[in-house]
Amino acid sequence: MDEQTLIERYFRHATPGGADVLLGIGDDAAVLRPPPGRDLVVATDTQAEGTHFPPGTPPAAIGHRCLAVNLSDLAAMGAEPLWCTLALALPQADAAWLEAFAAGFTALAERAGIVLVGGDTVRGPLAATVTVLGHVRPGKFIRRDGARAGHAVYVTGWPGEAVAGRALLSRGAPAPGDPAESLWRRFCFPEPRLAAGLALVELASAMIDCSDGLHDDLGKLVLASGVGARLDAGALPISAALRAFGGAQAAEMALTGGDDYELLFTVPPERSAELARVEAQWSLPVTRLGEITSQAGVTWLRDGQPWAFDDQTYRHFQG
Ligand code: ADP
Ligand code: MG
């Protein structure tokens, strides 16, 4: 299969654009018309085999993930998706593999309302680089550096499940109904928290998406904001599936696992009632973990005492 056939068959008509796509796939470049009066938001992320996903990851999951991790960055800014490009390096053009990859990519793109407008296809070690463009109302984006002492710290969803799911990958896809299936799904098909991100535009003082691990990403947020945080490890949302998988190490996995693509954000105390109203409309749990402090550093408490957790935990599960 040559490059033109491949593009034509799997990508050219995958996500038909609207009137805002003046020129999509097929020319030397795409030409796009941004919504009038909006600010554009741009992010790019690569998923490489061996680094971001192990060999043997289902191609539909790779197609989903390379877009999901980028949509998660838009979510963390409070932005709405518009367009994306896909640069794909493939060791060979395998029709069954490409079909599954494109299906995973396209299903999420349609759901998120993002249109694929271009890309590049080359031979090389398996890697997919996606660039996403989104939009916000002028100036209405959420940065990492707005957290202040006294603001409450929240996380969406179920941090830690993805690292457990990654560890389960080598066993192949679990049967539906197997408790491990929800963990496997969390790694293979992470759900970017776009609606939550958008709803937090007027509420969150700072936000970041959790890709490297909750503890690590909170460290980036407090560093950017020039503050610290004091949190209760006992408040961590640990699902029954993660508890069953991780046992006594489930909390460490939630803190250090990575690949969660949950949103971690801060809200000033006077806005907490409003957050409760907004959040009640989501089908997504939101957990209050603790508070921002003026003193630098991140402290996790367990039974009221500072907790020196095992920062290496996730590595034990990734072998
Ligand atoms: P050029 O050599 O001019 O860059 P290409 O042959 O690389 O052209 O690409 C032809 C068209 O197909 C371009 O519009 C490009 O954006 C698009 N394209 C190439 N690869 C992909 C891909 N993996 N996904 C989506 N569009 C692609
Ligand atoms: Mg090209």
Side-chain angles (χ1 to χ4, degrees), residues 158-300:
W158 308 103
E161 289 204 338
V163 72
R166 184 181 170 134
L168 290 167
L169 260 184
S170 56
R171 299 187 205 163
D178 181 336
E181 208 257 352
S182 64
L183 302 175
W184 178 87
R185 181 157 290 281
R186 194 78 69 190
F187 177 78
C188 286
F189 299 97
E191 190 59 36
R193 306 305 192 187
L194 284 160
L198 187 59
L200 288 168
V201 167
E202 301 286 355
L203 275 175
S205 49
M207 183 148 69
I208 189 168
D209 69 320
C210 294
S211 52
D212 296 332
L214 175 49
H215 176 69
D216 214 76
D217 291 313
L218 180 57
K220 292 177 203 158
L221 185 148
V222 297
L223 191 66
S225 297
V227 293
R230 204 172 156 82
L231 310 118
D232 178 12
L236 286 166
I238 311 278
S239 67
L242 180 59
R243 178 82 58 207
F245 178 89
Q249 286 176 311
E252 274 115 324
M253 292 173 75
L255 283 185
T256 65
D259 285 317
D260 299 310
Y261 301 104
E262 298 292 355
L263 294 176
L264 180 64
F265 59 96
T266 59
V267 174
E270 66 274 15
R271 311 296 300 276
S272 64
E274 210 172 323
L275 173 65
R277 272 198 299 279
V278 167
E279 174 223 314
Q281 291 153 28
W282 305 344
S283 56
L284 180 67
V286 175
T287 306
R288 187 186 190 282
L289 296 173
E291 230 172 72
I292 295 295
T293 56
S294 53
Q295 197 193 347
V298 174
T299 306
W300 290 93

Side-chain angles (χ1 to χ4, degrees), residues 3-4 7 11 24-28 86 88 116-121:
E3 187 192 334
Q4 294 316 316
I7 295 164
F11 299 113
I25 293 171
D27 214 301
D28 293 311
L86 166 65
L88 197 53
L116 180 63
V117 296
D120 198 18
T121 310

Side-chain angles (χ1 to χ4, degrees), residues 133-160:
L133 291 108
H135 67 112
V136 292
R137 276 180 288 140
K140 294 292 183 186
F141 47 88
I142 311 171
R143 306 161 53 124
R144 293 180 181 185
D145 60 5
R148 299 291 174 262
H151 293 190
V153 179
Y154 298 87
V155 70
T156 62
W158 308 103

